[in-house]
Amino acid sequence: PVPVYSLPGNFDWPECSDPESGWKHYQDHMMNINTNWDTATDYVVYRQQERPENFSFLWKRVLFVGIHMVTNSDADETNERVMDNIQWVNQNVEKHQMENIDAIFVMGNERLLATENIAFYEHFSNKKKNVDEWNDVLFVYSRRSGISGLSRDIGGVTDLHELRVGSEWPIMDVRVQTGNVAGIQFRTVSSRIGRASGSGGQDGVI
């Protein structure tokens, strides 16, 4: 079985007619949907203590990180959430150690360069440019979109890409290549090939 992981979107709560109830439903029915699969324990799934909707796992030298990235008119809530997201990515890099990571694959809902997310982009673009151990690591931010596509070297930063995941069917197959030549490729296929999240894992909290 291939487990499914869920991340909040705008319609789950900030743009819902009843945001409080919408968020409660998301927590109750979607947040831990991956636990519905009784699969092998080839990796550990971690949840952020402050924001259990945020998750992570390391699989074959790719660090997968899911973050709560939505558009909200409440500036204070947005700033606090974005700071938590930055902390969560850094916390996982520190935990797993960069020497064990070839690529960091971050998943969210909204655009990387959206006004409310600029602090997130600037933080990690500065790391890619100025911190030696980040130079050779592929950093991909994946988000929902109307049409699939890949924007490379965002803001002129080498190996910092934004992957747009559209609603095409068959669903998108994303393959992250690690090793001496790290890279990313995607396509829509009728059969599942080379899925990175091919087994379930345990749940844990950092």
Side-chain angles (χ1 to χ4, degrees):
V2 177
V4 172
Y5 294 85
S6 173
L7 287 169
N10 284 356
F11 295 136
D12 289 311
W13 72 274
E15 296 181 20
C16 179
S17 58
D18 187 345
E20 185 174 347
S21 294
W23 182 239
K24 179 67 164 55
H25 285 309
Y26 181 84
Q27 290 176 306
D28 291 344
H29 304 293
M30 294 298 296
M31 190 166 70
N32 296 301
I33 192 172
N34 62 293
T35 61
N36 290 336
W37 283 265
D38 182 19
T39 50
T41 56
D42 292 337
Y43 58 82
V44 179
V45 180
Y46 293 96
R47 296 278 176 175
Q48 189 174 20
Q49 289 184 332
E50 300 82 1
R51 292 189 178 277
E53 68 271 23
N54 286 356
F55 64 86
S56 70
F57 56 89
L58 181 68
W59 174 246
K60 294 187 176 180
R61 299 188 61 83
V62 179
L63 177 61
F64 293 89
V65 185
I67 56 176
H68 188 168
M69 201 78 106
V70 296
T71 300
N72 186 14
S73 58
D74 185 335
D76 291 337
E77 186 280 332
T78 296
N79 183 66
E80 180 180 356
R81 177 167 39 77
V82 171
M83 291 301 106
D84 286 344
N85 290 338
I86 292 172
Q87 180 186 36
W88 181 234
V89 176
N90 285 329
Q91 193 175 356
N92 278 278
V93 170
E94 181 179 349
K95 176 180 178 61
H96 295 291
Q97 302 182 350
M98 195 63 89
E99 65 190 46
N100 300 312
I101 301 170
D102 289 331
I104 301 171
F105 194 91
V106 179
M107 296 159 282
N109 182 69
E110 283 301 307
R111 294 183 301 113
L112 182 60
L113 295 182
T115 301
E116 61 270 19
N117 297 331
I118 286 298
F120 185 92
Y121 165 75
E122 291 181 343
H123 179 89
F124 291 106
S125 64
N126 286 334
K127 285 207 165 189
K128 283 287 294 172
K129 290 184 291 185
N130 301 317
V131 180
D132 288 343
E133 66 175 358
W134 282 73
N135 288 344
D136 297 327
V137 173
L138 177 69
F139 190 103
V140 179
Y141 176 78
S142 174
R143 67 169 175 92
R144 57 157 292 281
S145 178
I147 301 176
S148 298
L150 179 65
S151 298
R152 299 181 182 274
D153 302 334
I154 301 296
V157 181
T158 302
D159 286 337
L160 196 163
H161 308 325
E162 182 180 70
L163 174 66
R164 300 180 301 280
V165 181
S167 57
E168 298 94 340
W169 186 262
I171 60 175
M172 179 182 291
D173 170 61
V174 179
R175 289 182 285 177
V176 180
Q177 179 178 338
T178 62
N180 293 331
V181 183
I184 182 170
Q185 55 182 299
F186 67 93
R187 61 180 179 173
T188 54
V189 294
S190 58
S191 61
R192 297 185 178 92
I193 302 175
R195 287 191 171 279
S197 54
S199 57
Q202 307 168 36
D203 280 336
V205 175
I206 294 177

